[in-house]
Amino acid sequence: MNSEQPEEGRPIGRRVLLGTIGLGALGVVTAPTLQRGMEAFLGTVSGKDPTGLTGLLPNGGGFRYYSVAASVPHKGPVNYRLTIDGLVDHPRSYTLADLRALPQTRMVKDVQCVTGWRVPGTPFEGVRLSDLLDAAGVRGSGKAIRFTCFDGVYSESLTLEQARRADVLVALRMQDKDIGHDHGGPVRLYVAPMYFYKSAKWLSGITVTDHVQPGYWEKLGYDVDAWVGRSNGRTDEPTS
């Protein structure tokens, strides 16, 4: 989740909004194929809805579509790069093929948004962040990680200890398919035990730093240590 507010655009019409509400209700009982179609529909409509109403509606996958950027470029196998730099001995830039060739870890856990919605039993698959950090050779002065995104706006942070947890992934797959653009693909961060704003979409940079640099939402008041059920004034059940 990269935002709690909709992208700019023209207001959606009453007919489209009512149709969206109908699809939201239908999503509770539809088959997976129709659910995936509804996710795509809501992703398109929410980008043109400055009211934010579509962000309140349920969809087939249970997720909401957010972005803090007016537009986000699409990246794929040809032009995607993930850079690891900062306080490391071996800076590197990974292509999508490079990441896919590394050992993959799959986990299935609930996703909890700080705004209240929850998606149970969501599969994520990717490379453990700790493996990438080990390959880069973090220097003794490295204490934290700053994550940047190719939307050009969003950022996130973890301490080095948090980043080395086994349930923190550089994710390539979600819900047993390659991560699509609306869900932050082709590569996103996945921090299983924390609220979903920590799982930065459209991940492009991992920089090792000597101190924690608060991310986009943290500068606006969200907790830096965003453990589910133990932060942001919420008492949700843990996800990991």
Side-chain angles (χ1 to χ4, degrees):
M1 184 179 83
N2 274 18
S3 173
E4 313 291 332
Q5 55 193 12
E7 300 176 53
E8 295 179 356
R10 294 182 300 173
I12 61 172
R14 180 174 180 272
R15 180 179 301 175
V16 174
L17 179 58
L18 290 176
T20 303
I21 293 172
L23 282 172
L26 183 62
V28 176
V29 294
T30 49
T33 300
L34 291 179
Q35 291 175 350
R36 288 192 294 270
M38 185 160 58
E39 284 187 13
F41 174 81
L42 287 175
T44 301
V45 171
S46 65
K48 300 177 181 179
D49 174 20
T51 69
L53 291 175
T54 50
L56 302 176
L57 298 174
N59 63 47
F63 288 87
R64 309 293 183 267
Y65 294 86
Y66 302 111
S67 173
V68 296
S71 63
V72 182
H74 284 66
K75 301 272 188 180
V78 173
N79 61 351
Y80 177 78
R81 297 292 184 276
L82 175 63
T83 300
I84 301 181
D85 58 15
L87 299 174
V88 298
D89 292 328
H90 310 291
R92 179 168 176 182
S93 179
Y94 290 86
T95 66
L96 197 54
D98 291 335
L99 292 172
R100 287 172 173 167
L102 295 174
Q104 305 290 301
T105 296
R106 185 178 186 270
M107 60 184 70
V108 181
K109 299 181 183 296
D110 293 357
V111 167
Q112 177 69 53
C113 180
V114 74
T115 60
W117 54 265
R118 189 180 187 103
V119 183
T122 303
F124 279 88
E125 187 174 348
V127 182
R128 282 198 170 111
L129 178 56
S130 60
D131 290 347
L132 296 177
L133 294 175
D134 288 344
V138 177
R139 296 175 184 168
S141 54
K143 305 299 181 185
I145 313 293
R146 174 174 168 80
F147 303 95
T148 50
C149 308
F150 63 78
D151 66 350
V153 180
Y154 202 71
S155 63
E156 253 310 329
S157 67
L158 290 173
T159 67
L160 185 59
E161 181 180 5
Q162 292 165 352
R164 288 194 177 281
R165 287 179 58 108
D167 53 4
V168 176
L169 299 180
V170 171
L172 309 176
R173 291 176 61 80
M174 172 180 167
Q175 297 176 311
D176 294 320
K177 55 183 180 289
D178 291 345
I179 299 177
H181 179 78
D182 288 332
H183 282 301
V187 178
R188 71 175 297 159
L189 187 64
Y190 176 53
V191 185
M194 293 190 177
Y195 285 103
F196 208 35
Y197 65 86
K198 301 296 289 191
S199 297
K201 296 164 70 174
W202 307 301
L203 183 65
S204 62
I206 298 172
T207 300
V208 179
T209 62
D210 60 2
H211 67 283
V212 170
Q213 300 178 32
Y216 181 92
W217 282 111
E218 292 146 14
K219 293 177 182 177
L220 298 176
Y222 281 23
D223 286 353
V224 174
D225 293 323
W227 305 107
V228 173
R230 295 188 283 127
S231 65
N232 295 287
R234 297 189 58 88
T235 57
D236 306 288
E237 289 293 322
T239 55
S240 182

